[in-house]
Amino acid sequence: MSHIENLSRRGFLKSVGVSGGVLVVGTAIPSMSFAYSESGTAGNVEHQLSVFVSIAEDGIVTLVNHRSEMGQGIRTSIPQIIAEELNANWDYINVVQAKADRKYGSQGTAGSGSIRRFFIHVRQLGAVVRDMLEQAAANIWQVNKSEVSAINHFVVHNKTGQKIAFGELAKHAAKLEIPAPENVKLKSINDFSLIGTDVKQVDLPTIIAGKMIYSHDVQLPDMLIASIERPPVVGGKVKSFDATAAKKVKGVVDVIQLKERSLPAGVFPKSGIAVVATNTWAAIEGRKKLKVVWVNGENQVHNSESYRDNLKKLVNKKGINVNNLGDVYQHDYDQSRTVEATYSVPYLHHAPMETPAATAVIKDGGCIIWAGSQNPQWGKGLVLEELGLSREQADKVEFNVVTMGGAFGRKSKGDYILEAVELAKVTSKPVKVIWSREDDIQHGFYHSVSANYCKAELTNDNSADNWIQRVALPPIGWLFNTDSKSPSDDDLSVGFADTPFKFNQMSMEKHEVSSHIRPGWMRSVSCINNSFALGSFVDELANKAKITTQQMWLNLLAEDRLVDPNSDTFKYTNYGVSLTEHPLDTARMKNVINLLADKANIDEKVSANEGWGISFFRSFNSYMAAATKVSVKNKKVTILEMHTAVDCGIVITPDRVKSQMEGAMTFGLAIALMGEITVKDGKIEQGNFHNYLIPRINQVPNMFVHIVKSNHAPGGIGEPGVPAIAPSIVNAIFHACGTRIRDLPVSKVLSI
Amino acid sequence: MIQLNVNKKNVTIDAEPEMPLLYALRDFLNLTGTKFGCGAGLCGACTVHMDGEAVRSCLMPLSAAVGKNITTIEGLSEKSDHPVQEAWLAHKVPQCGYCQSGQMMSAAALLATNAAPSDDEIDIHMQGNICRCGTYKRIKLAIKEAGKNIVREA
């Protein structure tokens, strides 16, 4: 393994632009362009067979990972898929990180999409090179390609058993044309030997050694460090500032006013005053001595407490039709069999352990950037625009994608990257912008505060019908268009209008609201509030019907079928993929619920003050059920045990599916028990981990993950584990002590 | 000029005595394995050892570090093979990895005085280290395994 680590280091240096460039003489194929050949680096000659695959003569296969790593393990899983189709030996794989470049196709690492949206495509990346290696060997033996097979880093002549190593074949294969991916046969799922196994995880030894480089760790000669005071209210501007005292701090080089920005906020910086210094501490100390007077603007009217109350009032009124069957408003509800409830979730924040940071240096009219980013091509596009460059001048901006110390959606936005570019331009020096924890919590893009309403009447067979559900929340669309007042069909396709129950009559509605702080995508986005409402409401229906929650889920899901939520009024987006490939399959839903109930043993006899709660949610094309056991004593809740059962189709790296589920349980626990951002006079009230709480080791119980074996197309895994957790916890609390919590977090009612 | 002993080496830094150790380690000594997480002693990402004890370097002024033996993740072992690091590898603890230097430094300090901590003792000692990815379950398993290996090697 040691030589692979050495290569990784070389790969890193290369990826940050230290060693030579790549000669691109490739041809274009649909959806992406491949490139041939690169100039050799010191040591063994590497033959680049495609944009994604190079093979050195000693057999080391270098694979490009084009997706962004934030802890999900994608730097292992993408190369693992390529290596599978290549029939390579994992011990000889070296992974390098792609820079931001359109030649790689989509690099936006969001929506749990890296595998589920590109599985076939990524397999083709390996398969075309396997095909070239096989062709090269066939040419040498002067036989038909069908007579040879790539097996474990060699190409073998099937009849004679002769074999040639990949390393030897590389120089011959590099001369061949890259076949069209649709002409190359992918392996049968039954022949997978790497996919579905826990290969050695890329980056793990580097992290353990403390040597992983994150955005905060980038160091350049003569670099300046910047700390920025930003307007506390969205849309606010600097009225005046006094930098005299700040400039006297030893190490402070300059104080710079960033250019004004206006609404729509987009993902642009908020502007403000930057203190730049020769070291981090000087920048922080200098900033403390700044005096800034702000003009807060109209969003200072925003107070989250009254705003949330208003959302709850709104959803108790009839809203704008999203999707409906029949006319529930003509139905005469039998109050003794009807359940009606309003649920709300506060603003939430990602709070990755690594706050945003980015480094930029201006060079030859363009610039070089080092930043962790979930969407490096979007970031690069913004930088081009900032520098007045066109898309055709993309080569002038080199965007080095750095591993992220957590992201959860926050780092899809390019605001912190543009700050670094702006300051590098003004100072003509390399500048690293670092965000404090207060900056991170007070200048984020928040999961929207929301209210959901549900009403339904029990049927004679212990299901429910005449279903009404409504939602009100400030939509993410407002970021880009200040006229946006309600969630789009896409926003409503995340467990709201795709509720997979069998109704005769139903009405799904939304409301229009005003927006005042920057909304953003946070791990599973609106699935959080939709699942909290749905999962709680099913539990309330079960309680009313005096049946188990598991049975109520099974009754509502009804017989095995594929659900199509599309209608004349609603276009279902299914997380960006087709319903043919990824249907809403109630059989898989019921299976995962039953597996969970069985594995977690939720029907066990529990002590007084203890209870189990379950919930289920399909999101990002994966099916996930959660069970939580709690005790509630003297108004204090303790989480005793958590389980998740997940059907995410074909599993690539089982241990990373498990780790994502463990992480999602913790993330969901935070949402349920303690997460809350509040706003007063337009300003975020929280500032650090003492008042924006994240679960600590003593608050997290033993956890169990049960993975369904499946040959279905792979679903997402980064987000689907989150939504069902919060309802499983509040349901458990109800079963333990009879207290029904409909407004999160739980800490408002019980101590945690 | 401040003189420090970091990872068994004497170093001289041209910095103010009130500068927290964290920024000196990162900006002046290029020891970036120790991380900034909160700047307020609330998250433990910046944990290092001072004379073997786990401390939060983001609040530790250089003046208080003079004359002490400071150990960072880079100096915890020669080949990243401290029992804690080996257990972290075996249990594949990290997700993003950002908090893990601090987690491992806290764990190593705990095990140095108590190689067989109970669940409660782990909870109490490790409470100051936040992991947003949610790796706590594995941290607990890894600490127990590392403790067993320390006892075995002793």
Side-chain angles (χ1 to χ4, degrees):
Chain A
M1 199 66 193
S2 64
H3 62 292
I4 293 179
E5 281 169 36
N6 286 340
L7 275 166
S8 289
R9 175 158 171 72
R10 199 180 85 204
F12 173 72
L13 292 175
K14 207 159 96 180
S15 77
V16 297
V18 173
S19 73
V22 175
L23 175 64
V24 178
V25 291
T27 52
I29 60 160
S31 83
M32 71 166 26
S33 61
F34 279 109
Y36 277 117
S37 175
E38 74 167 356
S39 52
T41 46
N44 296 315
V45 177
E46 279 181 29
H47 298 283
Q48 190 171 7
L49 302 180
S50 74
V51 166
F52 284 88
V53 183
S54 300
I55 303 181
E57 292 192 1
D58 62 2
I60 296 295
V61 172
T62 298
L63 301 179
V64 171
N65 170 55
H66 61 308
R67 318 291 302 179
S68 298
E69 179 63 58
M70 56 190 124
Q72 78 279 45
I74 205 66
R75 277 169 53 81
T76 298
S77 299
I78 290 286
Q80 190 177 349
I81 299 169
I82 303 176
E84 173 72 72
E85 288 290 346
L86 191 54
N87 283 338
N89 181 331
W90 190 252
D91 287 340
Y92 296 96
I93 297 292
N94 172 47
V95 177
V96 294
Q97 184 63 37
K99 298 176 189 190
D101 197 321
R102 288 159 89 177
K103 74 182 175 194
Y104 297 115
S106 163
Q107 289 178 276
T109 313
S112 304
S114 291
I115 290 169
R116 69 181 180 87
R117 299 190 67 170
F118 304 103
F119 185 51
I120 300 291
H121 176 76
V122 174
R123 288 170 66 191
Q124 286 171 338
L125 300 174
V128 292
V129 175
R130 185 226 307 146
D131 188 86
M132 290 161 75
L133 292 166
E134 287 175 344
Q135 185 64 62
N139 291 352
I140 289 169
W141 290 320
Q142 296 185 321
V143 298
N144 195 294
K145 196 175 69 191
S146 63
E147 295 177 37
V148 308
S149 318
I151 301 171
N152 197 29
H153 237 74
F154 288 88
V155 176
V156 179
H157 185 220
N158 300 340
K159 234 184 270 172
T160 63
Q162 278 184 286
K163 55 183 190 177
I164 309 177
F166 279 8
E168 243 175 279
L169 287 170
K171 58 179 176 288
H172 303 288
K175 291 175 196 147
L176 301 174
E177 270 201 37
I178 296 175
E182 57 274 21
N183 293 340
V184 172
K185 199 165 172 253
L186 296 177
K187 288 171 78 168
S188 156
I189 288 168
N190 300 323
D191 292 337
F192 284 164
S193 59
L194 282 177
I195 287 177
T197 67
D198 286 319
V199 297
K200 272 181 201 156
Q201 208 177 300
V202 174
D203 295 335
L204 198 50
T206 318
I207 291 171
I208 301 292
K211 293 198 170 130
M212 178 54 76
I213 300 293
Y214 302 89
S215 295
H216 275 258
D217 304 330
V218 172
Q219 314 261 28
L220 298 172
D222 293 329
M223 180 170 79
L224 297 175
I225 314 289
S227 178
I228 302 170
E229 188 75 16
R230 299 172 187 81
V233 178
V234 170
K237 295 184 190 322
V238 176
K239 188 177 179 191
S240 63
F241 71 103
D242 179 356
T244 321
K247 283 184 176 170
K248 283 185 187 149
V249 172
K250 191 185 165 195
V252 169
V253 174
D254 205 355
V255 173
I256 297 159
Q257 179 168 5
L258 296 173
K259 68 183 189 190
E260 277 193 4
R261 306 272 178 173
S262 51
L263 298 177
V267 293
F268 293 103
K270 279 175 114 183
S271 181
I273 310 290
V275 176
V276 289
T278 54
N279 67 74
T280 308
W281 176 242
I284 294 168
E285 283 299 287
R287 181 172 155 202
K288 282 184 198 159
K289 298 203 158 52
L290 269 183
K291 292 190 187 98
V292 189
V293 182
W294 305 101
V295 180
N296 287 327
E298 59 191 34
N299 288 319
Q300 68 184 330
V301 300
H302 189 49
N303 289 298
S304 55
E305 202 182 329
S306 55
Y307 185 90
R308 181 168 166 176
D309 287 343
N310 188 50
L311 293 181
K312 286 162 67 179
K313 275 184 207 146
L314 262 183
V315 293
N316 276 276
K317 295 178 201 154
K318 192 174 177 182
I320 302 162
N321 180 47
V322 174
N323 218 353
N324 71 308
L325 267 177
D327 188 353
V328 290
Y329 291 99
Q330 296 303 316
H331 179 70
D332 188 16
Y333 284 88
D334 171 357
Q335 287 310 319
S336 69
R337 298 182 59 76
T338 299
V339 183
E340 185 179 7
T342 305
Y343 306 93
S344 74
V345 180
Y347 286 118
L348 296 167
H349 177 58
H350 317 74
M353 289 315 294
E354 182 201 32
T355 60
T359 300
V361 56
I362 300 293
K363 204 180 162 195
D364 305 330
C367 81
I368 309 176
I369 291 156
W370 293 261
S373 168
Q374 290 178 250
N375 203 325
Q377 286 181 41
W378 189 9
K380 184 171 173 171
L382 291 168
V383 172
L384 286 167
E385 209 175 297
E386 182 73 22
L387 297 174
L389 299 169
S390 68
R391 286 266 164 186
E392 287 65 44
Q393 293 168 295
D395 287 348
K396 289 215 172 246
V397 172
E398 178 185 318
F399 192 123
N400 298 287
V401 180
V402 182
T403 294
M404 288 172 278
F408 313 111
R410 170 63 182 89
K411 293 172 186 170
S412 286
K413 288 86 176 174
D415 53 333
Y416 53 99
I417 297 160
L418 286 178
E419 288 176 339
V421 172
E422 196 181 333
L423 290 169
K425 208 171 146 187
V426 175
T427 58
S428 303
K429 291 244 177 152
V431 174
K432 174 163 73 177
V433 169
I434 46 127
W435 285 45
S436 69
R437 181 55 61 189
E438 289 76 11
D439 295 340
D440 170 59
I441 290 181
Q442 298 180 339
H443 302 287
F445 294 80
Y446 304 91
H447 171 80
S448 283
V449 59
S450 61
N452 283 57
Y453 166 91
C454 301
K455 179 179 179 179
E457 188 184 77
L458 294 176
T459 58
N460 292 330
D461 53 357
N462 277 334
S463 184
D465 201 356
N466 291 294
W467 187 281
I468 301 174
Q469 63 181 46
R470 305 184 188 123
V471 65
L473 51 79
I476 290 176
W478 181 82
L479 260 190
F480 309 103
N481 176 3
T482 49
D483 292 333
S484 176
K485 289 189 169 58
S486 68
S488 65
D489 277 8
D490 194 37
D491 297 332
L492 296 164
S493 292
V494 294
F496 182 77
D498 50 334
T499 300
F501 299 156
K502 195 165 188 187
F503 304 125
N504 290 306
Q505 295 210 101
M506 63 88 174
S507 179
M508 297 179 177
E509 304 154 22
K510 64 178 182 178
H511 280 275
E512 293 193 332
V513 301
S514 62
S515 293
H516 306 280
I517 67 171
R518 302 191 294 185
W521 304 278
M522 190 186 88
R523 194 176 190 176
S524 83
V525 201
S526 265
C527 296
I528 291 170
N529 51 290
N530 292 332
S531 177
F532 173 58
L534 188 69
S536 301
F537 191 63
V538 171
D539 194 70
E540 297 207 42
L541 287 170
N543 187 53
K544 186 89 172 172
K546 298 189 171 61
I547 59 173
T548 64
T549 312
Q550 178 188 2
Q551 191 59 54
M552 182 53 83
W553 274 103
L554 301 178
N555 294 353
L556 288 162
L557 289 167
E559 74 275 11
D560 293 356
R561 70 211 147 86
L562 305 182
V563 177
D564 183 354
N566 284 293
S567 73
D568 292 345
T569 56
F570 175 70
K571 185 165 173 4
Y572 179 56
T573 56
N574 197 25
Y575 304 90
V577 298
S578 77
L579 270 172
T580 323
E581 193 189 1
H582 281 290
L584 278 84
D585 184 341
T586 60
R588 290 175 75 188
M589 296 178 191
K590 289 185 283 183
N591 177 55
V592 84
I593 292 167
N594 290 335
L595 175 75
L596 172 88
D598 184 37
K599 293 280 185 186
N601 193 22
I602 57 170
D603 295 328
E604 67 168 342
K605 193 156 169 52
V606 294
S607 314
N609 308 313
E610 288 183 0
W612 278 100
I614 65 161
S615 197
F616 165 83
F617 207 70
R618 174 196 181 270
S619 62
F620 304 90
N621 316 126
S622 286
Y623 301 76
M624 189 275 200
T628 302
K629 185 182 182 182
V630 306
S631 79
V632 184
K633 285 174 191 156
N634 303 321
K635 293 223 145 204
K636 182 184 190 307
V637 60
T638 306
I639 311 286
L640 300 173
E641 192 174 320
M642 295 176 92
H643 291 251
T644 62
V646 62
D647 174 358
C648 59
I650 293 168
V651 171
I652 312 302
T653 319
D655 182 72
R656 289 300 93 180
V657 169
K658 204 172 159 215
S659 66
Q660 281 303 294
M661 288 294 121
E662 291 163 359
M665 283 188 253
T666 313
F667 204 90
L669 185 152
I671 292 167
L673 294 190
M674 59 191 78
E676 182 171 30
I677 291 286
T678 56
V679 188
K680 198 169 179 219
D681 302 330
K683 298 172 191 169
I684 307 296
E685 292 189 291
Q686 290 68 30
N688 210 317
F689 293 126
H690 65 291
N691 56 11
Y692 189 68
L693 302 178
I694 303 296
R696 291 172 185 270
I697 195 166
N698 57 310
Q699 293 170 308
V700 173
N702 207 357
M703 296 173 161
F704 302 89
V705 179
H706 314 287
I707 302 174
V708 174
K709 268 204 176 302
S710 167
N711 276 345
H712 288 286
I717 210 63
E719 293 162 280
V722 173
I725 301 299
S728 82
I729 292 174
V730 297
N731 294 343
I733 290 170
F734 176 78
H735 294 294
C737 71
T739 302
R740 173 59 62 184
I741 294 170
R742 299 197 183 95
D743 301 300
L744 292 182
V746 167
S747 61
K748 286 173 163 313
V749 180
L750 301 171
S751 62
I752 55 169
Chain B
M1 287 294 179
I2 308 262
Q3 297 223 331
L4 295 177
N5 183 288
V6 180
N7 298 335
K8 296 183 183 151
K9 275 184 217 151
N10 290 318
V11 291
T12 306
I13 298 169
D14 181 12
E16 307 297 306
E18 59 269 26
M19 178 187 285
L21 177 59
L22 171 69
Y23 306 108
L25 292 171
R26 293 176 51 80
D27 288 2
F28 291 77
L29 301 176
N30 204 19
L31 293 169
T32 56
T34 307
K35 303 299 185 193
F36 169 85
C38 69
L42 296 165
C43 80
C46 67
T47 305
V48 298
H49 294 174
M50 220 158 80
D51 288 344
E53 219 171 290
V55 297
R56 311 298 183 217
S57 65
C58 75
L59 292 181
M60 185 64 62
L62 286 178
S63 56
V66 173
K68 314 269 187 180
N69 291 313
I70 297 152
T71 308
T72 70
I73 185 69
E74 292 90 345
L76 183 62
S77 62
E78 293 212 349
K79 293 175 183 163
S80 307
D81 56 355
H82 185 281
V84 163
Q85 287 169 301
E86 289 188 331
W88 247 246
L89 198 61
H91 288 274
K92 300 185 177 182
V93 173
Q95 289 183 31
C96 84
Y98 191 81
C99 74
Q100 299 295 348
S101 297
Q103 303 278 4
M104 288 185 282
M105 294 308 282
S106 285
L110 166 65
L111 294 173
T113 57
N114 177 5
S118 66
D119 280 345
D120 282 350
E121 285 169 332
I122 293 173
D123 277 354
I124 290 164
H125 186 86
M126 298 299 293
Q127 245 177 65
N129 288 79
I130 297 179
C131 171
R132 181 59 157 154
C133 294
T135 63
Y136 295 127
K137 176 197 164 174
R138 295 186 191 216
I139 286 174
K140 227 174 245 187
L141 289 171
I143 288 176
K144 288 184 178 176
E145 182 178 311
K148 278 183 202 153
N149 290 337
I150 286 170
V151 171
R152 204 168 295 142
E153 284 166 25

